[in-house]
Amino acid sequence: MPRLSTFERHGLVFEVRDTGPQDGIPVVLLHGFPQTSASWGSVAELLNGQGFRTLAPDQRGYTPGALPRRRRDYRLSELIADAVALIETADTGPVHLVGHDWGAAVAWGAAAARPDLVRTLTAVSVPHPLAFIQSMSRSTQAFKSWYMLFFQLPWIPELLLSNESSFTRSLRGTGQSAQNAARDMADLHRLGSARTAVNWYRGMPLTQPSVLKRKVVVPTLQVWSDGDTAVGRKGHELSQRFVSGPWELRTLEGVSHWIPDEAPEILTQLLTEHFRKHTTNA
């Protein structure tokens, strides 16, 4: 299989980190906010060492060729279609689909919409979007998610993200390391993508619920960490009702929201166990 450095959809060009054995079983890694594919670096290296090929795209809003400015361009249906386009362009057959944070929301939608393209689903840190919404009234999730309402404001969130000291301090307060916070801030500044990163949240109210109503039929693993300040456990527990295939929830103790950066070895172990449990040739 040839290496994939970019893929296109509707005139947008997305950069991709394609690493590992070219004939390895493919694993697609979707990043979250406010990160790029760099956040998967350690996990990808570990997976590559075990014979898996990893495809980690920089999603829209985080890559130079795909920085649309309108809120509507960040509806979940568009984000899901981007992920599907990557898998179809790679033309490797079904993939193990893994997403962290916002990448998990995209992965949930892609796995439900196109199970023919997905071997297994792993959602890291973020539950099924509808379960997440339900958890708002059944737990403290609404208090944890205050920033989502804040991000609907014009201009002010962009100012926060553009201020290196204040935003780095915010990231550090959620458990992110100083080194990784600096990396993510540098990427935002390099791309000038503060607005487009926030637009992932601004596109939420424009997403049609029907996008998420189909159940996930592929084997699904959820990974949550009890040090997560943004997402509580309840939404993960409620997610099972949106999965008709095999489902499992694993909890990491003493780990923050930033699981791929903070606990890559443990996460990779869970991923490979999940892949091999549900795929005879993985």
Side-chain angles (χ1 to χ4, degrees):
M1 293 288 183
R3 289 293 183 193
L4 188 67
S5 59
T6 62
F7 73 97
E8 297 185 24
R9 178 175 174 264
H10 290 180
L12 300 178
V13 180
F14 303 81
E15 295 181 353
V16 183
R17 297 173 188 248
D18 179 355
T19 58
Q22 288 180 256
D23 61 349
I25 292 175
V27 181
V28 170
L29 304 168
L30 303 178
H31 68 81
F33 170 89
Q35 303 186 300
T36 68
S37 59
S39 62
W40 285 112
S42 297
V43 171
E45 184 176 358
L46 292 167
L47 287 172
N48 297 158
Q50 296 194 43
F52 293 94
R53 177 184 180 183
T54 55
L55 299 162
D58 290 328
Q59 299 190 82
R60 67 169 59 201
Y62 295 90
T63 189
L67 296 171
R69 305 292 286 178
R70 301 177 304 177
R71 292 174 57 198
R72 63 180 295 181
D73 294 323
Y74 294 85
R75 291 169 294 172
L76 190 56
S77 57
E78 292 295 322
L79 307 174
I80 292 168
D82 292 342
V84 169
L86 165 61
I87 299 171
E88 291 181 329
T89 301
D91 195 25
T92 59
V95 305
H96 294 293
L97 184 57
V98 184
H100 172 249
D101 188 80
W102 258 109
V106 176
W108 278 110
R114 293 296 304 273
D116 57 307
L117 298 179
V118 179
R119 296 170 182 256
T120 66
L121 166 66
T122 304
V124 183
S125 299
V126 168
H128 188 282
L130 294 181
F132 182 77
I133 292 171
Q134 291 176 1
S135 72
M136 294 280 190
S137 62
R138 302 181 62 176
S139 68
T140 60
Q141 186 59 59
F143 296 99
K144 293 178 181 291
S145 300
W146 64 269
Y147 62 93
M148 293 185 176
L149 183 60
F150 170 72
F151 281 160
Q152 303 305 314
L153 299 174
W155 305 115
I156 297 175
E158 286 92 329
L159 292 175
L160 172 64
L161 267 67
S162 299
N163 185 301
E164 183 173 353
S165 61
S166 64
F167 193 52
T168 298
R169 187 165 56 251
S170 297
L171 293 175
R172 296 280 287 127
T174 64
Q176 194 174 30
S177 72
Q179 178 181 359
N180 291 330
R183 176 200 66 199
D184 295 340
M185 278 300 307
D187 283 339
L188 284 180
H189 285 177
R190 173 176 58 84
L191 293 167
S193 60
R195 177 179 177 180
T196 56
V198 173
N199 274 352
W200 280 61
Y201 292 92
R202 292 175 176 155
M204 288 183 352
L206 305 179
T207 294
Q208 295 295 323
S210 58
V211 173
L212 298 164
K213 285 187 176 178
R214 183 179 298 179
K215 285 193 175 184
V216 174
V217 300
V218 301
T220 299
L221 170 67
Q222 291 178 244
V223 183
W224 177 71
S225 46
D226 62 8
D228 195 323
T229 60
V231 183
R233 182 182 176 88
K234 189 63 177 180
H236 288 280
E237 294 174 340
L238 294 172
S239 294
Q240 186 175 12
R241 64 181 61 184
F242 299 100
V243 180
S244 61
W247 176 88
E248 184 179 9
L249 171 61
R250 299 292 294 269
T251 300
L252 305 185
E253 297 182 357
V255 178
S256 77
H257 177 78
W258 311 98
I259 295 174
D261 278 323
E262 188 174 339
E265 295 86 0
I266 299 173
L267 178 57
T268 301
Q269 180 180 345
L270 293 176
L271 290 175
T272 55
E273 289 175 356
H274 180 53
F275 298 164
R276 289 174 174 141
K277 179 178 180 182
H278 296 289
T279 312
T280 55
N281 60 345

